[in-house]
């Protein structure tokens, strides 16, 4: 049965949006993390297979929507901080389904001349990028995978938008937990970082199974964890949860800025800080590092 949710909504027959991606290039047989994330954020750009998988995650971990929203808020704060610090170009890898305000919209609240190269490996994202991400100019979209950093760095869209002689804000928000250890996430970050000059910033968030350290009742709910991991094993990318001790080294040559690697609501909050229970339920670490 077809599903049409407004002008930009996807259809169940695999055609939707302005990008003209052929139906055969879109895998609708398995859930995709970007489309599941869109569902967590109450978006419409997803398929029945994504919604069913997302509901299974919500059943196992009802706070997943809390985490998704907190992570999105972290992205907005980090982008504002980067622009306030003088950065005027951004590479946003693992963009996901456009959700306003998007990176370029947040950045241009402070500096209208910010240029943004969006990167994602989901053709569904590409179908919406032209209308929602790139129509204002000074922004472009590259269909590429974080596991192939050299391809991203050499992509014509990225090369056209980004001056690699000037500081860049590299966003890896909620993406590296879809990279397996054997796929070398640290090497991926190092390859991307080596291409950026001193003064560049790395903004990263990563899912964890660790309870918040300030929550005395916190413990890993292995049933919930295993339920979530099982859903993502059947998706187009498996979920790889990591603790702080494994995430922090991924920053490599980027020195962490205050307040370090923390639960995302604690990173330079612009409103009330949640209590220990909510922080423990918010499963993302986040931080920003500066190179050089």
């Amino acid at each position: 049965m077809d599903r049409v949710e407004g002008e930009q909504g996807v259809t169940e027959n695999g055609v939707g949006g302005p990008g003209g991606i052929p139906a055969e290039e879109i895998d609708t047989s398995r859930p995709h993390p970007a489309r599941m994330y869109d569902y967590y954020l109450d978006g419409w750009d997803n398929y029945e297979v994504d919604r069913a998988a997302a509901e299974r995650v919500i059943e196992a971990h009802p706070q997943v929507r809390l985490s998704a929203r907190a992570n999105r808020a972290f992205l907005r704060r980090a982008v504002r901080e980067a622009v306030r610090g003088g950065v005027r170009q951004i590479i946003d890898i693992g963009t996901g389904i456009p959700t306003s305000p998007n990176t370029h919209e947040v950045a241009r609240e402070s500096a209208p001349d910010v240029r943004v190269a969006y990167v994602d490996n989901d053709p569904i994202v590409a179908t919406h990028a032209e209308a929602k991400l790139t129509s204002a100019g000074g922004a472009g979209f590259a269909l590429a995978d974080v596991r192939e950093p050299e391809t991203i760095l050499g992509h014509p869209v990225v090369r056209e938008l980004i001056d690699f002689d000037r500081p860049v804000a590299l966003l890896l928000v909620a993406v590296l937990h879809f990279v397996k250890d054997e796929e070398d996430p640290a090497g991926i970050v190092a390859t991307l970082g080596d291409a950026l000059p001193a003064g560049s910033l790395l903004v990263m968030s990563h899912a964890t199974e660790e309870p918040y350290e300030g929550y005395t009742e916190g413990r890993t709910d292995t049933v919930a964890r295993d339920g979530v991991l099982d859903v993502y094993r059947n998706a187009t990318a498996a979920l790889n949860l990591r603790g702080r001790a494994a995430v922090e080294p991924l920053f490599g040559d980027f020195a962490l800025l205050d307040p370090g690697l923390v639960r995302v609501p604690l990173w330079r909050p612009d409103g009330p800080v949640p209590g220990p229970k909510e922080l423990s339920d918010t499963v993302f670490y986040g931080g920003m590092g500066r190179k050089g």
Side-chain angles (χ1 to χ4, degrees):
M1 181 175 67
D2 287 351
R3 171 181 181 256
V4 180
E5 302 288 358
E7 182 180 356
Q8 296 302 326
V10 300
T11 60
E12 294 294 3
N13 62 11
V15 180
I21 300 296
E24 60 270 16
E25 293 186 17
I26 300 175
D27 184 0
T28 60
S29 64
R30 292 189 296 163
H32 191 288
R35 303 193 301 256
M36 293 170 64
Y37 193 79
D38 175 69
Y39 183 79
Y40 300 147
L41 293 172
D42 298 320
W44 292 106
D45 298 318
N46 45 71
Y47 292 92
E48 178 58 35
V49 66
D50 308 308
R51 298 189 288 276
E55 284 293 343
R56 287 179 58 203
V57 172
I58 293 169
E59 182 179 358
H61 179 61
Q63 300 84 8
V64 65
R65 280 188 156 131
L66 167 74
S67 293
R69 290 166 183 152
N71 186 63
R72 192 73 187 181
F74 162 74
L75 168 65
R76 294 194 295 267
R77 295 196 304 278
V79 168
R80 291 187 185 108
E81 289 287 346
V83 175
R84 287 172 188 151
V87 172
R88 294 294 181 268
Q89 43 185 6
I90 299 171
I91 303 176
D92 184 352
I93 301 177
T95 301
I97 303 293
T99 303
S100 189
N102 294 290
T103 296
H104 71 283
E105 295 168 327
V106 174
R108 290 172 186 174
E109 293 171 1
S110 303
D113 60 333
V114 173
R115 301 168 71 83
V116 180
Y118 290 102
V119 181
D120 202 282
N121 71 344
D122 184 9
I124 284 292
V125 177
T127 67
H128 299 284
E130 181 181 339
K132 294 185 176 181
L133 299 179
T134 67
S135 59
F141 178 83
L143 187 63
D145 196 302
V146 69
R147 298 170 186 82
E148 300 174 353
E150 295 91 349
T151 300
I152 293 172
L153 294 170
H155 195 285
V157 170
V158 176
R159 303 305 300 187
E160 179 182 354
L161 284 165
I162 304 299
D163 179 356
F164 285 90
D165 292 325
R166 297 170 52 225
V168 176
L170 172 64
L171 309 187
L172 291 169
V173 176
V175 63
L176 288 180
H177 48 240
F178 294 114
V179 177
K180 301 174 184 177
D181 288 343
E182 54 266 34
E183 292 171 324
D184 193 12
I188 289 169
V189 177
T191 298
L192 294 167
D194 286 347
L196 307 181
S200 293
L201 300 171
L202 169 60
V203 177
M204 184 193 305
S205 69
H206 195 295
T208 186
E209 64 179 318
E210 290 180 340
Y212 173 59
E213 58 194 19
Y215 184 44
T216 57
E217 299 178 19
R219 62 181 178 82
T220 300
D221 185 336
T222 56
V223 174
R225 178 202 63 196
D226 292 348
V228 171
L229 293 177
D230 183 61
V231 175
Y232 279 98
R233 285 190 192 100
N234 296 311
T236 57
L239 184 62
N240 303 273
L241 301 174
R242 297 183 175 98
R244 183 203 297 269
V247 174
E248 193 164 323
L250 297 179
F251 280 86
D253 292 337
F254 292 84
L256 277 165
L257 305 177
D258 288 338
L261 184 67
V262 295
R263 284 304 218 269
V264 288
L266 298 178
W267 196 87
R268 304 189 184 184
D270 54 9
V273 175
K277 174 64 166 64
E278 184 173 332
L279 288 171
S280 199
D281 287 338
T282 305
V283 299
F284 287 104
Y285 283 120
M288 175 189 285
R290 177 180 288 120
K291 181 179 178 179

